[in-house]
Amino acid sequence: MNSLSSVSFVALTTDGWSSRAQESFISVTIHYINDNWELKNYTLCAEYIEERHSSENLAFMLEMVIAEWELDGEVHAVVHDNAANVISSVLLVENVENTFALRKTQQQLGLKELKLIQSCATRWNSSYLMCERLLVNRGAIIAVLADRDVTSAALALKLEINEGEWTEMESMIKLLKPLQVATVVLCEENVTFSILRPIIYGLINKHMLIKSEDNENVRNFKEDINQNLQKRFKMKRQEYDEVVIDQISCFLDPRYKYLETETDEVKENIRKRVQNLLQTTRPAESNEVVSEEISAMDFLLDAKSYGENESEFDMYLREPQLNHNVSNSLIWWKNNELKYPKLALLAKKYLCAPATSVTSERCFSIVGNIVTSKRSCLLPENVNLLTFLKRNQNAFNR
């Protein structure tokens, strides 16, 4: 509560989960940018919910959490997945089909001793990881299937992957890899919402761009992916009124301020929307004393007076865009907060939202370790408190 007292804008992530005792919970994680320009997140609750996970019940629970933590008027965005009812107690069992014969063959061929990976419908990117591992072990797999001392003819016939299927797998790996890399980047801790639109744009316009040499399967895959990405993330917004948080956050992120993902018309609309937001933004007064000392070059070139008549917005536009490999754009804002006080306030508002709701989903990995088969009778309120303490223990240690 002390940490949140000086925060004006926050974002929340939320997710649902069912325990071994078939009790339903909802987690809520708060995200915000503090006065030191650090992106913070804390788990506010893993609350027991008696009713089913309907949109009305979840909305009521969120309102209760917002009221309890005195966040009225401060919640700027709520990030969640698209599942109607999330079941998180699915055991992800690694493939146990790997035999000693495969390991021995890998050794003989000078390959790393890597287990095969099983595709799982509830595990992100598992199809890609399965195919990638199969291709790495292609030589060893073929050798084991051809060895009649290890694999019977009937089993070999059932498991055999023909040349056409290997070729198809190779082409699909190239298509799936960008999606896997994007998932990993977006699911990292402290990744702001501003990175989402540039990543989706890159997937559509580079990695999923249809080429003349693509076969029918590859072409169909790219078309389906492009259509789904365009629709899900609304990449073709044209009207001024459709400018929303993800586009504004891109402009306020110094790594993406040039808005390469947008048309010229949309770029102008985004800039106009930010200018309108600036007119109603009033930064808090700072007690920090700003030095009036200027450099010799500022004096000789009269640089200070040149910039005095410029608005924050125009000065920000003239700033060079940071390289996209810069891991933390908030450091730039920390160093330039006094130069752009109004824009900095908007940046805190629009850059505090995370790219995904993964932080809330990870919360239930902890809950799963708390509500084990031997502790399935824990009272829901104790599950909530134990999860709260575990997730936020680093804050308490400080």
Side-chain angles (χ1 to χ4, degrees), residues 196-218:
L196 182 63
R197 204 162 172 83
I199 286 179
I200 301 303
Y201 179 86
L203 290 175
I204 293 173
N205 293 279
K206 180 180 178 181
H207 300 286
M208 297 298 155
L209 193 64
I210 296 175
K211 301 177 182 178
S212 57
E213 63 267 24
D214 291 341
N215 61 39
E216 184 178 358
N217 287 341
V218 171

mmCIF file with all atom_site columns, all heavy atoms in Angstrom, residues 196-218:
data_model
loop_
_atom_site.group_PDB
_atom_site.id
_atom_site.type_symbol
_atom_site.label_atom_id
_atom_site.label_alt_id
_atom_site.label_comp_id
_atom_site.label_asym_id
_atom_site.label_entity_id
_atom_site.label_seq_id
_atom_site.pdbx_PDB_ins_code
_atom_site.Cartn_x
_atom_site.Cartn_y
_atom_site.Cartn_z
_atom_site.occupancy
_atom_site.B_iso_or_equiv
_atom_site.pdbx_formal_charge
_atom_site.auth_seq_id
_atom_site.auth_comp_id
_atom_site.auth_asym_id
_atom_site.auth_atom_id
_atom_site.pdbx_PDB_model_num
ATOM 1   N N   . LEU A 1 196 ? 4.252  -4.956  -28.308 1.00 0.00 ? 196 LEU A N   1
ATOM 2   C CA  . LEU A 1 196 ? 3.356  -5.923  -28.943 1.00 0.00 ? 196 LEU A CA  1
ATOM 3   C C   . LEU A 1 196 ? 3.118  -5.627  -30.419 1.00 0.00 ? 196 LEU A C   1
ATOM 4   O O   . LEU A 1 196 ? 3.292  -6.500  -31.279 1.00 0.00 ? 196 LEU A O   1
ATOM 5   C CB  . LEU A 1 196 ? 2.025  -5.949  -28.191 1.00 0.00 ? 196 LEU A CB  1
ATOM 6   C CG  . LEU A 1 196 ? 0.977  -6.941  -28.698 1.00 0.00 ? 196 LEU A CG  1
ATOM 7   C CD1 . LEU A 1 196 ? 1.479  -8.364  -28.565 1.00 0.00 ? 196 LEU A CD1 1
ATOM 8   C CD2 . LEU A 1 196 ? -0.330 -6.780  -27.934 1.00 0.00 ? 196 LEU A CD2 1
ATOM 9   N N   . ARG A 1 197 ? 2.732  -4.413  -30.719 1.00 0.00 ? 197 ARG A N   1
ATOM 10  C CA  . ARG A 1 197 ? 2.374  -4.072  -32.099 1.00 0.00 ? 197 ARG A CA  1
ATOM 11  C C   . ARG A 1 197 ? 3.561  -4.187  -33.069 1.00 0.00 ? 197 ARG A C   1
ATOM 12  O O   . ARG A 1 197 ? 3.408  -4.743  -34.161 1.00 0.00 ? 197 ARG A O   1
ATOM 13  C CB  . ARG A 1 197 ? 1.782  -2.657  -32.117 1.00 0.00 ? 197 ARG A CB  1
ATOM 14  C CG  . ARG A 1 197 ? 0.869  -2.398  -33.292 1.00 0.00 ? 197 ARG A CG  1
ATOM 15  C CD  . ARG A 1 197 ? -0.007 -1.185  -33.041 1.00 0.00 ? 197 ARG A CD  1
ATOM 16  N NE  . ARG A 1 197 ? -0.754 -0.833  -34.236 1.00 0.00 ? 197 ARG A NE  1
ATOM 17  C CZ  . ARG A 1 197 ? -1.891 -1.403  -34.598 1.00 0.00 ? 197 ARG A CZ  1
ATOM 18  N NH1 . ARG A 1 197 ? -2.401 -2.364  -33.864 1.00 0.00 ? 197 ARG A NH1 1
ATOM 19  N NH2 . ARG A 1 197 ? -2.513 -1.025  -35.688 1.00 0.00 ? 197 ARG A NH2 1
ATOM 20  N N   . PRO A 1 198 ? 4.760  -3.715  -32.711 1.00 0.00 ? 198 PRO A N   1
ATOM 21  C CA  . PRO A 1 198 ? 5.908  -3.922  -33.613 1.00 0.00 ? 198 PRO A CA  1
ATOM 22  C C   . PRO A 1 198 ? 6.217  -5.390  -33.869 1.00 0.00 ? 198 PRO A C   1
ATOM 23  O O   . PRO A 1 198 ? 6.583  -5.775  -34.981 1.00 0.00 ? 198 PRO A O   1
ATOM 24  C CB  . PRO A 1 198 ? 7.061  -3.234  -32.866 1.00 0.00 ? 198 PRO A CB  1
ATOM 25  C CG  . PRO A 1 198 ? 6.407  -2.194  -32.029 1.00 0.00 ? 198 PRO A CG  1
ATOM 26  C CD  . PRO A 1 198 ? 5.109  -2.799  -31.597 1.00 0.00 ? 198 PRO A CD  1
ATOM 27  N N   . ILE A 1 199 ? 6.063  -6.244  -32.853 1.00 0.00 ? 199 ILE A N   1
ATOM 28  C CA  . ILE A 1 199 ? 6.337  -7.670  -33.039 1.00 0.00 ? 199 ILE A CA  1
ATOM 29  C C   . ILE A 1 199 ? 5.323  -8.294  -33.987 1.00 0.00 ? 199 ILE A C   1
ATOM 30  O O   . ILE A 1 199 ? 5.682  -9.046  -34.903 1.00 0.00 ? 199 ILE A O   1
ATOM 31  C CB  . ILE A 1 199 ? 6.335  -8.405  -31.674 1.00 0.00 ? 199 ILE A CB  1
ATOM 32  C CG1 . ILE A 1 199 ? 7.616  -8.065  -30.908 1.00 0.00 ? 199 ILE A CG1 1
ATOM 33  C CG2 . ILE A 1 199 ? 6.211  -9.912  -31.867 1.00 0.00 ? 199 ILE A CG2 1
ATOM 34  C CD1 . ILE A 1 199 ? 7.708  -8.718  -29.546 1.00 0.00 ? 199 ILE A CD1 1
ATOM 35  N N   . ILE A 1 200 ? 4.040  -7.989  -33.794 1.00 0.00 ? 200 ILE A N   1
ATOM 36  C CA  . ILE A 1 200 ? 3.000  -8.545  -34.665 1.00 0.00 ? 200 ILE A CA  1
ATOM 37  C C   . ILE A 1 200 ? 3.189  -8.040  -36.096 1.00 0.00 ? 200 ILE A C   1
ATOM 38  O O   . ILE A 1 200 ? 3.035  -8.791  -37.065 1.00 0.00 ? 200 ILE A O   1
ATOM 39  C CB  . ILE A 1 200 ? 1.597  -8.179  -34.142 1.00 0.00 ? 200 ILE A CB  1
ATOM 40  C CG1 . ILE A 1 200 ? 1.404  -8.710  -32.720 1.00 0.00 ? 200 ILE A CG1 1
ATOM 41  C CG2 . ILE A 1 200 ? 0.531  -8.751  -35.062 1.00 0.00 ? 200 ILE A CG2 1
ATOM 42  C CD1 . ILE A 1 200 ? 1.605  -10.196 -32.565 1.00 0.00 ? 200 ILE A CD1 1
ATOM 43  N N   . TYR A 1 201 ? 3.549  -6.776  -36.230 1.00 0.00 ? 201 TYR A N   1
ATOM 44  C CA  . TYR A 1 201 ? 3.804  -6.207  -37.564 1.00 0.00 ? 201 TYR A CA  1
ATOM 45  C C   . TYR A 1 201 ? 4.948  -6.945  -38.258 1.00 0.00 ? 201 TYR A C   1
ATOM 46  O O   . TYR A 1 201 ? 4.871  -7.259  -39.455 1.00 0.00 ? 201 TYR A O   1
ATOM 47  C CB  . TYR A 1 201 ? 4.138  -4.723  -37.422 1.00 0.00 ? 201 TYR A CB  1
ATOM 48  C CG  . TYR A 1 201 ? 4.434  -4.025  -38.729 1.00 0.00 ? 201 TYR A CG  1
ATOM 49  C CD1 . TYR A 1 201 ? 3.409  -3.495  -39.502 1.00 0.00 ? 201 TYR A CD1 1
ATOM 50  C CD2 . TYR A 1 201 ? 5.745  -3.892  -39.187 1.00 0.00 ? 201 TYR A CD2 1
ATOM 51  C CE1 . TYR A 1 201 ? 3.684  -2.847  -40.705 1.00 0.00 ? 201 TYR A CE1 1
ATOM 52  C CE2 . TYR A 1 201 ? 6.030  -3.249  -40.385 1.00 0.00 ? 201 TYR A CE2 1
ATOM 53  C CZ  . TYR A 1 201 ? 4.996  -2.734  -41.136 1.00 0.00 ? 201 TYR A CZ  1
ATOM 54  O OH  . TYR A 1 201 ? 5.266  -2.105  -42.330 1.00 0.00 ? 201 TYR A OH  1
ATOM 55  N N   . GLY A 1 202 ? 6.025  -7.227  -37.501 1.00 0.00 ? 202 GLY A N   1
ATOM 56  C CA  . GLY A 1 202 ? 7.154  -7.955  -38.069 1.00 0.00 ? 202 GLY A CA  1
ATOM 57  C C   . GLY A 1 202 ? 6.784  -9.363  -38.495 1.00 0.00 ? 202 GLY A C   1
ATOM 58  O O   . GLY A 1 202 ? 7.235  -9.851  -39.542 1.00 0.00 ? 202 GLY A O   1
ATOM 59  N N   . LEU A 1 203 ? 5.946  -10.033 -37.709 1.00 0.00 ? 203 LEU A N   1
ATOM 60  C CA  . LEU A 1 203 ? 5.501  -11.381 -38.078 1.00 0.00 ? 203 LEU A CA  1
ATOM 61  C C   . LEU A 1 203 ? 4.719  -11.364 -39.383 1.00 0.00 ? 203 LEU A C   1
ATOM 62  O O   . LEU A 1 203 ? 4.941  -12.196 -40.267 1.00 0.00 ? 203 LEU A O   1
ATOM 63  C CB  . LEU A 1 203 ? 4.629  -11.965 -36.957 1.00 0.00 ? 203 LEU A CB  1
ATOM 64  C CG  . LEU A 1 203 ? 5.328  -12.346 -35.651 1.00 0.00 ? 203 LEU A CG  1
ATOM 65  C CD1 . LEU A 1 203 ? 4.302  -12.779 -34.614 1.00 0.00 ? 203 LEU A CD1 1
ATOM 66  C CD2 . LEU A 1 203 ? 6.342  -13.467 -35.883 1.00 0.00 ? 203 LEU A CD2 1
ATOM 67  N N   . ILE A 1 204 ? 3.816  -10.392 -39.508 1.00 0.00 ? 204 ILE A N   1
ATOM 68  C CA  . ILE A 1 204 ? 2.950  -10.337 -40.692 1.00 0.00 ? 204 ILE A CA  1
ATOM 69  C C   . ILE A 1 204 ? 3.717  -9.922  -41.940 1.00 0.00 ? 204 ILE A C   1
ATOM 70  O O   . ILE A 1 204 ? 3.585  -10.534 -43.006 1.00 0.00 ? 204 ILE A O   1
ATOM 71  C CB  . ILE A 1 204 ? 1.781  -9.363  -40.438 1.00 0.00 ? 204 ILE A CB  1
ATOM 72  C CG1 . ILE A 1 204 ? 0.857  -9.913  -39.348 1.00 0.00 ? 204 ILE A CG1 1
ATOM 73  C CG2 . ILE A 1 204 ? 0.994  -9.111  -41.725 1.00 0.00 ? 204 ILE A CG2 1
ATOM 74  C CD1 . ILE A 1 204 ? -0.228 -8.946  -38.920 1.00 0.00 ? 204 ILE A CD1 1
ATOM 75  N N   . ASN A 1 205 ? 4.530  -8.893  -41.824 1.00 0.00 ? 205 ASN A N   1
ATOM 76  C CA  . ASN A 1 205 ? 5.128  -8.276  -43.008 1.00 0.00 ? 205 ASN A CA  1
ATOM 77  C C   . ASN A 1 205 ? 6.518  -8.791  -43.362 1.00 0.00 ? 205 ASN A C   1
ATOM 78  O O   . ASN A 1 205 ? 7.064  -8.405  -44.397 1.00 0.00 ? 205 ASN A O   1
ATOM 79  C CB  . ASN A 1 205 ? 5.191  -6.760  -42.806 1.00 0.00 ? 205 ASN A CB  1
ATOM 80  C CG  . ASN A 1 205 ? 3.812  -6.130  -42.758 1.00 0.00 ? 205 ASN A CG  1
ATOM 81  O OD1 . ASN A 1 205 ? 3.197  -5.881  -43.779 1.00 0.00 ? 205 ASN A OD1 1
ATOM 82  N ND2 . ASN A 1 205 ? 3.323  -5.886  -41.551 1.00 0.00 ? 205 ASN A ND2 1
ATOM 83  N N   . LYS A 1 206 ? 7.081  -9.645  -42.516 1.00 0.00 ? 206 LYS A N   1
ATOM 84  C CA  . LYS A 1 206 ? 8.383  -10.218 -42.842 1.00 0.00 ? 206 LYS A CA  1
ATOM 85  C C   . LYS A 1 206 ? 8.339  -11.739 -42.839 1.00 0.00 ? 206 LYS A C   1
ATOM 86  O O   . LYS A 1 206 ? 8.512  -12.374 -43.863 1.00 0.00 ? 206 LYS A O   1
ATOM 87  C CB  . LYS A 1 206 ? 9.449  -9.732  -41.857 1.00 0.00 ? 206 LYS A CB  1
ATOM 88  C CG  . LYS A 1 206 ? 10.831 -10.303 -42.146 1.00 0.00 ? 206 LYS A CG  1
ATOM 89  C CD  . LYS A 1 206 ? 11.874 -9.801  -41.149 1.00 0.00 ? 206 LYS A CD  1
ATOM 90  C CE  . LYS A 1 206 ? 13.233 -10.432 -41.447 1.00 0.00 ? 206 LYS A CE  1
ATOM 91  N NZ  . LYS A 1 206 ? 14.267 -9.984  -40.475 1.00 0.00 ? 206 LYS A NZ  1
ATOM 92  N N   . HIS A 1 207 ? 8.058  -12.303 -41.693 1.00 0.00 ? 207 HIS A N   1
ATOM 93  C CA  . HIS A 1 207 ? 8.162  -13.754 -41.551 1.00 0.00 ? 207 HIS A CA  1
ATOM 94  C C   . HIS A 1 207 ? 7.012  -14.505 -42.209 1.00 0.00 ? 207 HIS A C   1
ATOM 95  O O   . HIS A 1 207 ? 7.183  -15.644 -42.637 1.00 0.00 ? 207 HIS A O   1
ATOM 96  C CB  . HIS A 1 207 ? 8.250  -14.118 -40.069 1.00 0.00 ? 207 HIS A CB  1
ATOM 97  C CG  . HIS A 1 207 ? 9.438  -13.521 -39.388 1.00 0.00 ? 207 HIS A CG  1
ATOM 98  N ND1 . HIS A 1 207 ? 10.712 -13.982 -39.574 1.00 0.00 ? 207 HIS A ND1 1
ATOM 99  C CD2 . HIS A 1 207 ? 9.536  -12.459 -38.528 1.00 0.00 ? 207 HIS A CD2 1
ATOM 100 C CE1 . HIS A 1 207 ? 11.561 -13.264 -38.858 1.00 0.00 ? 207 HIS A CE1 1
ATOM 101 N NE2 . HIS A 1 207 ? 10.872 -12.337 -38.219 1.00 0.00 ? 207 HIS A NE2 1
ATOM 102 N N   . MET A 1 208 ? 5.822  -13.900 -42.276 1.00 0.00 ? 208 MET A N   1
ATOM 103 C CA  . MET A 1 208 ? 4.672  -14.571 -42.882 1.00 0.00 ? 208 MET A CA  1
ATOM 104 C C   . MET A 1 208 ? 4.304  -13.986 -44.240 1.00 0.00 ? 208 MET A C   1
ATOM 105 O O   . MET A 1 208 ? 3.197  -14.183 -44.726 1.00 0.00 ? 208 MET A O   1
ATOM 106 C CB  . MET A 1 208 ? 3.465  -14.485 -41.931 1.00 0.00 ? 208 MET A CB  1
ATOM 107 C CG  . MET A 1 208 ? 3.689  -15.185 -40.613 1.00 0.00 ? 208 MET A CG  1
ATOM 108 S SD  . MET A 1 208 ? 3.987  -16.970 -40.824 1.00 0.00 ? 208 MET A SD  1
ATOM 109 C CE  . MET A 1 208 ? 4.932  -17.312 -39.329 1.00 0.00 ? 208 MET A CE  1
ATOM 110 N N   . LEU A 1 209 ? 5.240  -13.288 -44.840 1.00 0.00 ? 209 LEU A N   1
ATOM 111 C CA  . LEU A 1 209 ? 5.009  -12.717 -46.169 1.00 0.00 ? 209 LEU A CA  1
ATOM 112 C C   . LEU A 1 209 ? 5.028  -13.836 -47.209 1.00 0.00 ? 209 LEU A C   1
ATOM 113 O O   . LEU A 1 209 ? 5.975  -14.631 -47.258 1.00 0.00 ? 209 LEU A O   1
ATOM 114 C CB  . LEU A 1 209 ? 6.092  -11.690 -46.481 1.00 0.00 ? 209 LEU A CB  1
ATOM 115 C CG  . LEU A 1 209 ? 5.843  -10.764 -47.677 1.00 0.00 ? 209 LEU A CG  1
ATOM 116 C CD1 . LEU A 1 209 ? 4.633  -9.883  -47.426 1.00 0.00 ? 209 LEU A CD1 1
ATOM 117 C CD2 . LEU A 1 209 ? 7.076  -9.910  -47.951 1.00 0.00 ? 209 LEU A CD2 1
ATOM 118 N N   . ILE A 1 210 ? 3.991  -13.931 -48.006 1.00 0.00 ? 210 ILE A N   1
ATOM 119 C CA  . ILE A 1 210 ? 3.885  -15.005 -49.000 1.00 0.00 ? 210 ILE A CA  1
ATOM 120 C C   . ILE A 1 210 ? 4.862  -14.755 -50.149 1.00 0.00 ? 210 ILE A C   1
ATOM 121 O O   . ILE A 1 210 ? 4.936  -13.659 -50.696 1.00 0.00 ? 210 ILE A O   1
ATOM 122 C CB  . ILE A 1 210 ? 2.443  -15.100 -49.527 1.00 0.00 ? 210 ILE A CB  1
ATOM 123 C CG1 . ILE A 1 210 ? 1.497  -15.491 -48.382 1.00 0.00 ? 210 ILE A CG1 1
ATOM 124 C CG2 . ILE A 1 210 ? 2.350  -16.121 -50.660 1.00 0.00 ? 210 ILE A CG2 1
ATOM 125 C CD1 . ILE A 1 210 ? 0.031  -15.503 -48.758 1.00 0.00 ? 210 ILE A CD1 1
ATOM 126 N N   . LYS A 1 211 ? 5.622  -15.814 -50.492 1.00 0.00 ? 211 LYS A N   1
ATOM 127 C CA  . LYS A 1 211 ? 6.615  -15.724 -51.555 1.00 0.00 ? 211 LYS A CA  1
ATOM 128 C C   . LYS A 1 211 ? 6.241  -16.643 -52.706 1.00 0.00 ? 211 LYS A C   1
ATOM 129 O O   . LYS A 1 211 ? 5.499  -17.615 -52.526 1.00 0.00 ? 211 LYS A O   1
ATOM 130 C CB  . LYS A 1 211 ? 7.996  -16.102 -51.009 1.00 0.00 ? 211 LYS A CB  1
ATOM 131 C CG  . LYS A 1 211 ? 8.461  -15.212 -49.866 1.00 0.00 ? 211 LYS A CG  1
ATOM 132 C CD  . LYS A 1 211 ? 9.797  -15.672 -49.306 1.00 0.00 ? 211 LYS A CD  1
ATOM 133 C CE  . LYS A 1 211 ? 10.240 -14.803 -48.140 1.00 0.00 ? 211 LYS A CE  1
ATOM 134 N NZ  . LYS A 1 211 ? 11.522 -15.264 -47.556 1.00 0.00 ? 211 LYS A NZ  1
ATOM 135 N N   . SER A 1 212 ? 6.789  -16.360 -53.882 1.00 0.00 ? 212 SER A N   1
ATOM 136 C CA  . SER A 1 212 ? 6.441  -17.127 -55.084 1.00 0.00 ? 212 SER A CA  1
ATOM 137 C C   . SER A 1 212 ? 6.865  -18.582 -54.980 1.00 0.00 ? 212 SER A C   1
ATOM 138 O O   . SER A 1 212 ? 6.229  -19.470 -55.547 1.00 0.00 ? 212 SER A O   1
ATOM 139 C CB  . SER A 1 212 ? 7.082  -16.487 -56.323 1.00 0.00 ? 212 SER A CB  1
ATOM 140 O OG  . SER A 1 212 ? 8.501  -16.407 -56.154 1.00 0.00 ? 212 SER A OG  1
ATOM 141 N N   . GLU A 1 213 ? 7.948  -18.864 -54.236 1.00 0.00 ? 213 GLU A N   1
ATOM 142 C CA  . GLU A 1 213 ? 8.436  -20.244 -54.133 1.00 0.00 ? 213 GLU A CA  1
ATOM 143 C C   . GLU A 1 213 ? 7.713  -21.064 -53.070 1.00 0.00 ? 213 GLU A C   1
ATOM 144 O O   . GLU A 1 213 ? 7.974  -22.266 -52.920 1.00 0.00 ? 213 GLU A O   1
ATOM 145 C CB  . GLU A 1 213 ? 9.940  -20.253 -53.826 1.00 0.00 ? 213 GLU A CB  1
ATOM 146 C CG  . GLU A 1 213 ? 10.329 -19.620 -52.495 1.00 0.00 ? 213 GLU A CG  1
ATOM 147 C CD  . GLU A 1 213 ? 10.672 -18.151 -52.630 1.00 0.00 ? 213 GLU A CD  1
ATOM 148 O OE1 . GLU A 1 213 ? 10.190 -17.523 -53.596 1.00 0.00 ? 213 GLU A OE1 1
ATOM 149 O OE2 . GLU A 1 213 ? 11.419 -17.639 -51.765 1.00 0.00 ? 213 GLU A OE2 1
ATOM 150 N N   . ASP A 1 214 ? 6.782  -20.458 -52.321 1.00 0.00 ? 214 ASP A N   1
ATOM 151 C CA  . ASP A 1 214 ? 6.057  -21.191 -51.281 1.00 0.00 ? 214 ASP A CA  1
ATOM 152 C C   . ASP A 1 214 ? 5.143  -22.243 -51.898 1.00 0.00 ? 214 ASP A C   1
ATOM 153 O O   . ASP A 1 214 ? 4.435  -21.968 -52.885 1.00 0.00 ? 214 ASP A O   1
ATOM 154 C CB  . ASP A 1 214 ? 5.208  -20.224 -50.443 1.00 0.00 ? 214 ASP A CB  1
ATOM 155 C CG  . ASP A 1 214 ? 6.045  -19.303 -49.588 1.00 0.00 ? 214 ASP A CG  1
ATOM 156 O OD1 . ASP A 1 214 ? 7.219  -19.631 -49.353 1.00 0.00 ? 214 ASP A OD1 1
ATOM 157 O OD2 . ASP A 1 214 ? 5.523  -18.254 -49.144 1.00 0.00 ? 214 ASP A OD2 1
ATOM 158 N N   . ASN A 1 215 ? 5.145  -23.448 -51.298 1.00 0.00 ? 215 ASN A N   1
ATOM 159 C CA  . ASN A 1 215 ? 4.208  -24.463 -51.765 1.00 0.00 ? 215 ASN A CA  1
ATOM 160 C C   . ASN A 1 215 ? 2.825  -24.189 -51.199 1.00 0.00 ? 215 ASN A C   1
ATOM 161 O O   . ASN A 1 215 ? 2.620  -23.258 -50.421 1.00 0.00 ? 215 ASN A O   1
ATOM 162 C CB  . ASN A 1 215 ? 4.686  -25.874 -51.396 1.00 0.00 ? 215 ASN A CB  1
ATOM 163 C CG  . ASN A 1 215 ? 4.818  -26.076 -49.894 1.00 0.00 ? 215 ASN A CG  1
ATOM 164 O OD1 . ASN A 1 215 ? 3.995  -25.597 -49.114 1.00 0.00 ? 215 ASN A OD1 1
ATOM 165 N ND2 . ASN A 1 215 ? 5.862  -26.794 -49.479 1.00 0.00 ? 215 ASN A ND2 1
ATOM 166 N N   . GLU A 1 216 ? 1.863  -25.029 -51.544 1.00 0.00 ? 216 GLU A N   1
ATOM 167 C CA  . GLU A 1 216 ? 0.475  -24.770 -51.169 1.00 0.00 ? 216 GLU A CA  1
ATOM 168 C C   . GLU A 1 216 ? 0.283  -24.780 -49.656 1.00 0.00 ? 216 GLU A C   1
ATOM 169 O O   . GLU A 1 216 ? -0.416 -23.925 -49.109 1.00 0.00 ? 216 GLU A O   1
ATOM 170 C CB  . GLU A 1 216 ? -0.440 -25.805 -51.816 1.00 0.00 ? 216 GLU A CB  1
ATOM 171 C CG  . GLU A 1 216 ? -1.922 -25.555 -51.550 1.00 0.00 ? 216 GLU A CG  1
ATOM 172 C CD  . GLU A 1 216 ? -2.817 -26.570 -52.230 1.00 0.00 ? 216 GLU A CD  1
ATOM 173 O OE1 . GLU A 1 216 ? -2.279 -27.448 -52.933 1.00 0.00 ? 216 GLU A OE1 1
ATOM 174 O OE2 . GLU A 1 216 ? -4.046 -26.490 -52.050 1.00 0.00 ? 216 GLU A OE2 1
ATOM 175 N N   . ASN A 1 217 ? 0.895  -25.744 -48.978 1.00 0.00 ? 217 ASN A N   1
ATOM 176 C CA  . ASN A 1 217 ? 0.735  -25.823 -47.523 1.00 0.00 ? 217 ASN A CA  1
ATOM 177 C C   . ASN A 1 217 ? 1.313  -24.600 -46.821 1.00 0.00 ? 217 ASN A C   1
ATOM 178 O O   . ASN A 1 217 ? 0.713  -24.050 -45.887 1.00 0.00 ? 217 ASN A O   1
ATOM 179 C CB  . ASN A 1 217 ? 1.400  -27.090 -46.982 1.00 0.00 ? 217 ASN A CB  1
ATOM 180 C CG  . ASN A 1 217 ? 0.615  -28.339 -47.311 1.00 0.00 ? 217 ASN A CG  1
ATOM 181 O OD1 . ASN A 1 217 ? -0.575 -28.264 -47.625 1.00 0.00 ? 217 ASN A OD1 1
ATOM 182 N ND2 . ASN A 1 217 ? 1.266  -29.484 -47.247 1.00 0.00 ? 217 ASN A ND2 1
ATOM 183 N N   . VAL A 1 218 ? 2.499  -24.182 -47.239 1.00 0.00 ? 218 VAL A N   1
ATOM 184 C CA  . VAL A 1 218 ? 3.141  -23.013 -46.646 1.00 0.00 ? 218 VAL A CA  1
ATOM 185 C C   . VAL A 1 218 ? 2.310  -21.762 -46.911 1.00 0.00 ? 218 VAL A C   1
ATOM 186 O O   . VAL A 1 218 ? 2.106  -20.926 -46.022 1.00 0.00 ? 218 VAL A O   1
ATOM 187 C CB  . VAL A 1 218 ? 4.571  -22.837 -47.191 1.00 0.00 ? 218 VAL A CB  1
ATOM 188 C CG1 . VAL A 1 218 ? 5.165  -21.508 -46.754 1.00 0.00 ? 218 VAL A CG1 1
ATOM 189 C CG2 . VAL A 1 218 ? 5.460  -23.991 -46.728 1.00 0.00 ? 218 VAL A CG2 1
#
